Amino acid sequence: MAEALMREGGLRVEYEEPDADGFASCRFFAFDTVVSIRVGTCVGAERAATAFNALESAVGLCRRFERLLSRTSAGGDVWNLNRSTGELIEVHSDTWDALRDARRFSAESGGTFDFTMGSVTRLWDFHEGIEPDADELADALAHVGWRKVELFEADEPGRRRRFARKADPFVCVDVGGTAKGLIADRVCALLRQAGVRCGYVDLGGNIAVFGGKPEGAPWLIGVRDPFGNEQPVAIVALRDGSVVTSGASERSFFRAGRLFHHILDPVTGMPVDSDLASVTLVAPTSTEADGRSTMVFAMGLERALGYVERCEELEAILVAKDGSVLSTSGLR
């Protein structure tokens, strides 16, 4: 499916008429994944038209976020910031929010997550199984540090302007570890404002839902088995909120019996050594779930359980490397 949706430069969108349950949907390729959105249409042609208009607006919003936040999208805010050498770069308010969130989660992680790892992540190719040269990696790590990106706001008559600046000209920002949460929340807000009463947004494993199902039942969200089994390791029942999974199997390759995965240690630049295979967080917003999922994975099983239990707004399903599945108290 991903290959089909990537055709025509990734601009193809597949819309589906309302199904037997009254849900219209669309699928398209963005953020290096397949995005799927379902919205309840209730009954009547007018309401069905409202649903399709909302879906089109949601696709447009995702495309705009992708242009703003992708470090490879020429002319986008993050692209411009990464090519700057210390001057102030004016950014869209949505970009500023994404940078603010990424900075906040980097600070909170205590060194297990850093949104300035772009200079390191671009050295790896998990599709082709390419590991970076040790000298290149050491040079890239010298320019990692979330404190090296500063954010500013300036009030002017009738508007507020927002800016970002790099203290180190070689810093490379990558908000891919946190931005999908913000985007999922914004898509849900747009759909609500468009008159959609219930919806399901899936940004490639980052899931946000609202309104429950039309008959009043919650959404049932399966947690994927990181070892490839078709049967989910758990089912989360949720009317409003988000479920986000991070794991070692998403983008990875084996070499000499060792697994190399995409969750990298900001200190070494190498894949995090964790006794976890995957982490699934459940939270009221996708911003909070997405922003913390990577850091929780890097903590390892024992620390992760303690951390999530202390966060009132979070619950977790943790799958260890030995295949055992543990959940926090709010999901038992």
Side-chain angles (χ1 to χ4, degrees):
M1 178 187 296
E3 291 182 0
L5 292 174
M6 285 178 66
R7 294 171 189 162
E8 301 174 14
L11 298 178
R12 176 179 171 185
V13 182
E14 294 181 349
Y15 291 95
E16 293 187 2
E17 296 290 335
D19 59 20
D21 296 321
F23 284 95
S25 64
C26 69
R27 291 175 297 182
F28 57 100
F29 194 85
F31 319 117
D32 200 30
T33 190
V34 175
V35 175
S36 177
I37 304 174
R38 299 179 67 203
V39 295
T41 62
C42 298
V43 294
E46 183 178 344
R47 290 184 177 179
T50 297
F52 279 112
N53 288 338
L55 287 173
E56 288 184 350
S57 296
V59 173
L61 180 63
C62 288
R63 298 293 192 213
R64 181 166 64 81
F65 266 111
E66 188 168 39
R67 288 192 298 271
L68 288 173
L69 302 182
S70 171
R71 62 182 174 86
T72 61
S73 181
D77 283 353
V78 169
W79 190 89
N80 289 334
L81 179 60
N82 282 337
R83 278 149 186 77
S84 65
T85 57
E87 66 274 23
L88 282 176
I89 300 297
E90 186 164 9
V91 298
H92 191 280
S93 60
D94 288 337
T95 304
W96 198 91
D97 288 345
L99 292 170
R100 177 202 59 197
D101 288 342
R103 202 173 188 276
R104 172 167 64 93
F105 291 124
S106 296
E108 184 182 326
S109 77
T112 60
F113 171 79
D114 196 305
F115 79 108
T116 62
M117 282 282 285
S119 59
V120 175
T121 57
R122 65 187 177 188
L123 297 177
W124 288 85
D125 188 332
F126 294 96
H127 296 291
E128 299 296 329
I130 296 175
E131 179 183 356
D133 174 80
D135 290 337
E136 286 183 322
L137 191 58
D139 182 64
L141 286 167
H143 305 291
V144 171
W146 61 267
R147 291 182 178 86
K148 297 177 180 181
V149 177
E150 302 166 314
L151 302 177
F152 305 91
E153 292 182 284
D155 286 324
E156 294 184 355
R159 66 168 179 164
R160 172 171 290 184
R161 300 175 67 187
R162 294 168 175 83
F163 303 87
R165 180 172 63 194
K166 299 189 306 182
D168 177 346
F170 297 104
V171 162
C172 184
V173 168
D174 187 341
V175 295
T178 58
K180 283 200 294 184
L182 171 66
I183 297 165
D185 287 337
R186 294 291 176 83
V187 170
C188 288
L190 178 149
L191 295 175
R192 286 179 182 270
Q193 291 167 4
V196 174
R197 295 183 180 180
C198 55
Y200 182 104
V201 177
D202 182 354
L203 304 186
N206 186 316
I207 296 170
V209 299
F210 64 91
K213 292 185 177 180
E215 70 275 14
W219 296 96
L220 299 179
I221 303 167
V223 177
R224 189 177 62 183
D225 187 321
F227 302 106
N229 297 315
E230 292 187 8
Q231 191 71 16
V233 298
I235 302 290
V236 177
L238 197 64
R239 284 185 172 82
D240 296 275
S242 180
V243 177
V244 176
T245 299
S246 289
S249 63
E250 295 171 10
R251 282 181 289 148
S252 61
F253 63 89
F254 276 95
R255 177 168 295 141
R258 179 182 175 186
L259 175 67
F260 292 84
H261 60 79
H262 75 288
I263 301 178
L264 304 177
D265 186 331
V267 176
T268 67
M270 298 296 290
V272 166
D273 184 15
S274 174
D275 57 356
L276 288 167
S278 74
V279 166
T280 298
L281 295 186
V282 184
T285 69
S286 197
T287 298
E288 297 305 312
D290 191 31
R292 293 188 169 97
S293 61
T294 301
M295 75 168 80
V296 170
F297 178 90
M299 289 176 181
L301 180 58
E302 186 174 348
R303 283 183 60 205
L305 278 172
Y307 173 83
V308 176
E309 290 287 11
R310 290 191 299 272
C311 295
E312 292 184 2
E313 72 275 22
L314 290 183
E315 299 295 342
I317 298 166
L318 308 175
V319 182
K321 281 184 176 179
D322 64 7
S324 58
V325 181
L326 297 91
S327 60
T328 50
S329 56
L331 295 176
R332 295 170 191 158

